[in-house]
């Protein structure tokens, strides 16, 4: 069952931390290394931008889970996804399993770095009680960025394994986001894989996945550098697990060449 137009409109208004959030997430997830100081600065800006939307959500009685899902769906189309040719160029001509290995390693490094920075900032605020109330905004920003990096990984693994997902940019963004929520690949033969509007069940799965990710980041609230260590390690493990699950799934969804056994059996 899809959401009503009224619900969508309300959600969009509450989530609407606007272009700034989408632009910041895009910069934090684009290919290439970011200097730690620049990444920290961008995460801080993202936390401040998200706090405005969170305040609106609290005033209107919308739960954090729904607000997180609305924010993420608003920015998903801004996540930079590379095609196979660009991926090979950016990864020194690698292809196939070797390229998939490198994509997962790169994503692990990125989410580990975000977790370490977020954990360190949360730890610093834990040590300064007057600032403790600002820690959740930082961790929400970390959650959004980690989810974006993992959606990007999932989408680019589809390119590597030749599982093409058709549709507009917005439709593909929704499809990849829904696949991330369920931690699996997209079946290109399923007629509803892209064309179906994001229904209530899928949005619930997205909300739950984002809340689980946020819950993981809340464990980084601790004194000194324990938050940085925990944040980095937990993100690295989770991203590796996602990569393994999606790759295993996509290996079974590769299109078979013409003349294959399945092709001969089809009417």
């Amino acid at each position: 069952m899809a959401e009503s137009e009224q619900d969508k409109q309300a959600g969009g208004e509450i989530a609407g931390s606007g272009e700034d959030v989408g632009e910041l997430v895009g910069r934090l997830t684009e290919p290439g290394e970011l200097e730690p100081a620049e990444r920290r600065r961008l995460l801080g800006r993202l936390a401040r931008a998200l706090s405005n939307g969170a305040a609106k959500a609290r005033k209107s009685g919308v739960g954090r889970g729904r607000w997180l899902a609305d924010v993420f769906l608003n920015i998903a189309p801004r996540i930079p996804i590379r095609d196979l040719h660009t991926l090979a160029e950016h990864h020194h001509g690698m292809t196939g399993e070797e390229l998939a290995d490198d994509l997962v390693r790169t994503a692990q490094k990125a989410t580990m770095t975000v977790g370490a920075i977020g954990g360190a900032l949360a730890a610093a605020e834990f040590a300064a009680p007057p600032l403790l109330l600002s820690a959740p905004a930082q961790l929400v920003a970390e959650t959004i960025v980690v989810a974006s990096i993992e959606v990007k990984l999932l989408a680019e693994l589809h390119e590597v394994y030749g599982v093409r997902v058709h549709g507009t940019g917005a439709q593909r963004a929704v499809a990849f986001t829904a696949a991330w929520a369920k931690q699996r690949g997209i079946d290109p033969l399923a007629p509803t894989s892209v064309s179906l509007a994001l229904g209530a069940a899928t949005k619930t799965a997205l909300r739950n996945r984002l809340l689980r990710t946020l819950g993981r980041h809340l464990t980084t609230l601790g004194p000194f550098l324990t938050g940085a260590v925990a944040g980095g390690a937990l993100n690295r493990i989770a991203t590796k697990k996602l990569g393994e699950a999606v790759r295993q799934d996509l290996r079974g969804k590769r299109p078979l060449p013409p003349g294959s056994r399945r092709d001969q059996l089809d009417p």
Side-chain angles (χ1 to χ4, degrees):
M1 176 176 139
E3 285 187 297
S4 71
E5 276 308 310
Q6 191 176 358
D7 281 347
K8 284 180 186 174
Q9 234 174 9
E13 286 170 8
I14 293 165
S17 347
E19 296 293 315
D20 197 30
V21 168
E23 180 189 344
L24 289 167
V25 170
R27 289 177 65 185
L28 282 159
T29 54
E30 64 189 9
E33 291 286 330
L34 272 176
E35 290 294 324
E38 176 66 2
R39 192 180 294 275
R40 189 177 295 111
R41 187 182 70 80
L42 291 174
L43 270 172
R45 280 183 58 193
L46 180 59
R48 288 191 293 276
L50 287 168
S51 67
N52 295 329
K56 288 181 186 176
R58 280 194 299 272
K59 284 180 185 175
S60 48
V62 172
R64 172 165 283 186
R66 178 185 157 188
W67 172 72
L68 267 175
D70 287 335
V71 168
F72 198 76
L73 287 171
N74 277 357
I75 65 172
R78 303 285 294 274
I79 299 171
I81 309 300
R82 296 167 290 181
D83 60 22
L84 185 58
H85 176 72
T86 306
L87 285 168
E89 275 190 346
H90 288 178
H91 290 262
H92 313 290
M94 292 179 183
T95 57
E97 296 291 342
E98 187 182 27
L99 176 56
D101 284 341
D102 209 40
L103 284 177
V104 174
R105 277 194 299 268
T106 302
Q108 281 184 264
K109 183 178 179 184
T111 59
M112 182 174 69
T113 302
V114 170
I117 290 172
L121 290 172
E125 291 173 352
F126 182 90
L131 298 178
L132 185 58
L133 289 176
S134 65
Q138 178 66 42
L139 297 182
V140 168
E142 181 185 341
T143 296
I144 292 290
V145 174
V146 167
S148 299
I149 291 168
E150 291 188 345
V151 168
K152 177 183 173 70
L153 168 65
L154 181 146
E156 292 180 346
L157 285 174
H158 280 72
E159 285 288 318
V160 173
Y161 286 99
V163 179
R164 297 298 162 83
V165 178
H166 301 286
T168 65
Q171 286 174 327
R172 294 174 78 242
V174 167
F176 290 131
T177 299
W180 174 79
K182 297 170 184 174
Q183 303 282 280
R184 64 180 186 226
I186 296 170
D187 184 352
L189 301 178
T192 58
S193 60
V194 174
S195 58
L196 187 66
L198 190 66
T202 305
K203 193 162 183 182
T204 297
L206 173 60
R207 183 167 64 242
N208 290 341
R209 175 60 53 188
L210 286 165
L211 285 174
R212 278 196 289 273
T213 305
L214 177 61
R216 185 172 81 229
H217 295 149
L218 286 172
T219 65
T220 66
L221 279 171
F224 307 111
L225 291 179
T226 57
V229 174
L234 290 173
N235 282 350
R236 179 178 56 78
I237 291 166
T239 302
K240 181 181 180 182
K241 184 178 176 182
L242 170 71
E244 289 171 349
V246 171
R247 290 175 71 179
Q248 185 63 33
D249 207 13
L250 292 176
R251 287 185 188 110
K253 290 184 168 80
R254 283 192 200 199
L256 295 177
S260 67
R261 178 171 169 75
R262 184 191 293 171
D263 189 58
Q264 291 166 6
L265 291 174
D266 285 341

